[in-house]
Amino acid sequence: MLRLHAARERDRELNEESGFPALVRYLRQDVLGQAERLARRSAAHDLLSTADSLRLSVGSELQALQDPTTTPRLLVELEQAKARADDQRRRSARWQLTLSDGMTDLIADMEHDLRDRMRSVLREAEEAIDQGDPGAVWDQFSDWFEQRTASAVSDTFVWTDERSQWLARRVADHFSLEELRLPDLRTGDTEGVLDPVEPVPFLDPGHLGAGQKILVGMRGSYGGVLMFGLLTGLLGMSLVNPLSVGAGLLIGTKAYREDRETRLKRRQAEAKTIVRRAADDVIFQVGKQLRDRLRAVQRAIRDHFTELAEEHHRTLADSVQAAQKAASTFAAEREVRIRELRAELATVERFRAQAQLVGQEPAPAGHA
């Protein structure tokens, strides 16, 4: 509202006070800029990992060819590394068990968190309904309820993202690889999450016209006029007299107030039923999407670490095979192969240097 007022008045100071310029700067510079930096670092990490694998394979064969006497020791070291990789694959059952159990607990915790947050919203809504007539302010109340619901769902998804990252780190602890990269998990985005949820239904405000109010009062006052008219008739007075009319007015006023209270209680009960159904709909629809997203996270973590284990094992196995091949290479072929390997290693080093440049932060404008 402050920003809209500043726009109408063209008041720059009020616009800054609204906080929107700072928010826009943060989104452009930090959020979008951070996304670009993360993407660049991820690409650089993948390129460096590929370069290191190539360098290990080519360097192992080159070292064996340049110094044949070290081949037995190199073979022993590489066989030990291959044995560690085999052991890593055998231990896959443990990290997969950690992932399976952790995801089961995570789904249960997230569903409980969503229900708990929605229960808090529902309690606040029912307390607000009990404090007055919901029909008179139903539009504002519906907006507030939808905003609080969206905030609760957003908090649950943010916590889901944090817990997913924590689970990925727990699985990574089973691996002995250095500089182990984690999968890219993004579960905190709530765009479109509440689309399947129906809007809060309309509530009848319960306004009565002047004629309806008079009718309610007359319906109550009729019995009073008749009853006191009969009593005063024993004293020789007519059925309609000042005493019976006064009694009818008092009883009619009391009947109108009781009718108003009854209608208020009925609207409050109807409003509570509406918000409870809306909360149940949110829990049902959002809970389904939350479970689906966590299942996707489970598959992403599983595929990521399975690929890492196989890639590490494949790299070490190729190194062992290259060293074994180098040990049996004839002397006449050794020099030719050494030159080829040196050229390949130089190419790999240039590739790795370019990959390092990809991961570096770009120079600010004016400081290139």
Side-chain angles (χ1 to χ4, degrees):
M1 297 304 296
L2 187 59
R3 177 173 171 83
L4 292 176
H5 181 70
R8 287 194 298 268
E9 301 295 331
R10 297 185 178 180
D11 191 326
R12 181 173 298 178
E13 183 177 352
L14 279 180
N15 189 42
E16 287 291 337
E17 185 178 349
S18 71
F20 269 79
L23 174 61
V24 172
R25 287 194 297 270
Y26 171 77
L27 293 175
R28 288 178 177 173
Q29 298 174 6
D30 295 347
V31 176
L32 293 180
Q34 182 69 10
E36 294 176 357
R37 287 193 292 271
L38 289 176
R40 184 166 53 250
R41 291 176 182 174
S42 177
H45 190 280
D46 291 340
L47 293 174
L48 288 173
S49 177
T50 302
D52 290 340
S53 298
L54 292 173
R55 185 168 61 176
L56 175 60
S57 179
V58 175
S60 299
E61 185 177 356
L62 180 61
Q63 182 180 357
L65 288 173
Q66 289 177 335
D67 187 6
T69 59
T70 63
T71 298
R73 177 179 57 80
L74 182 62
L75 286 176
V76 171
E77 293 176 355
L78 290 176
E79 286 292 351
Q80 291 175 349
K82 184 173 180 294
R84 289 196 298 270
D86 289 335
D87 179 65
Q88 183 70 67
R89 296 184 67 178
R90 287 192 296 269
R91 289 192 299 169
S92 62
R94 278 180 284 180
W95 69 258
Q96 289 182 4
L97 182 62
T98 298
L99 174 60
S100 177
D101 292 345
M103 186 55 63
T104 300
D105 294 340
L106 182 56
I107 291 176
D109 290 345
M110 293 304 100
E111 289 183 339
H112 179 270
D113 180 75
L114 176 63
R115 290 179 178 275
D116 183 64
R117 295 182 191 275
M118 288 305 303
R119 286 179 61 187
S120 298
V121 174
L122 191 57
R123 281 195 296 268
E124 294 178 18
E126 290 182 346
E127 290 175 359
I129 290 173
D130 288 334
Q131 290 176 2
D133 187 354
V137 294
W138 188 249
D139 291 339
Q140 297 89 333
F141 177 82
S142 299
D143 292 339
W144 170 86
F145 182 76
E146 291 175 354
Q147 292 175 5
R148 286 287 291 114
T149 298
S151 177
V153 171
S154 177
D155 291 342
T156 295
F157 273 74
V158 169
W159 194 36
T160 301
D161 184 75
E162 295 174 355
R163 287 288 303 273
S164 298
Q165 300 290 344
W166 170 80
L167 180 59
R169 289 192 293 270
R170 279 197 60 196
V171 174
D173 290 340
H174 289 276
F175 290 78
S176 59
L177 306 179
E178 296 181 358
E179 298 182 0
L180 184 66
R181 67 180 186 274
L182 297 176
D184 184 18
L185 305 175
R186 296 180 182 178
T187 59
D189 183 17
T190 58
E191 182 178 1
V193 170
L194 291 173
D195 288 349
V197 179
E198 294 293 333
V200 178
F202 173 76
L203 178 67
D204 184 8
H207 295 307
L208 294 180
Q212 292 174 311
K213 293 179 180 179
I214 294 174
L215 182 61
V216 171
M218 289 180 63
R219 198 164 45 232
S221 63
Y222 173 76
V225 172
L226 181 60
M227 179 176 62
F228 279 87
L230 292 175
L231 291 176
T232 55
L234 299 176
L235 301 177
M237 301 176 66
S238 63
L239 180 65
V240 179
N241 58 75
L243 290 178
S244 63
V245 171
L249 290 175
L250 291 175
I251 295 177
T253 302
K254 183 176 183 297
Y256 172 75
R257 290 176 179 175
E258 290 177 350
D259 181 76
R260 184 177 59 185
E261 291 293 328
T262 301
R263 286 186 286 107
L264 174 60
K265 294 297 183 182
R266 185 166 57 247
R267 281 195 301 276
Q268 289 176 336
E270 184 179 354
K272 290 180 181 180
T273 301
I274 290 175
V275 296
R276 286 168 187 165
R277 289 177 179 174
D280 289 341
D281 193 20
V282 170
I283 292 173
F284 177 77
Q285 298 289 354
V286 177
K288 175 63 167 59
Q289 297 187 52
L290 186 63
R291 289 191 297 273
D292 291 345
R293 193 168 296 191
L294 287 173
R295 293 299 183 189
V297 167
Q298 182 179 13
R299 288 190 291 270
I301 295 176
R302 180 197 61 201
D303 295 344
H304 175 81
F305 287 107
T306 299
E307 181 182 356
L308 275 180
E310 292 178 351
E311 177 186 350
H312 186 60
H313 180 270
R314 185 168 55 251
T315 299
L316 293 175
D318 291 343
S319 299
V320 171
Q321 185 178 1
Q324 291 171 341
K325 180 180 178 181
S328 59
T329 302
F330 295 100
E333 300 175 350
R334 182 178 292 121
E335 294 299 327
V336 176
R337 184 58 180 161
I338 285 176
R339 288 195 296 271
E340 293 176 353
L341 291 174
R342 285 175 177 171
E344 292 179 7
L345 191 59
T347 302
V348 171
E349 292 296 341
R350 288 194 298 272
F351 172 73
R352 193 177 190 282
Q354 293 174 354
Q356 288 177 331
L357 293 177
V358 172
Q360 293 178 357
E361 298 290 339
H367 297 278

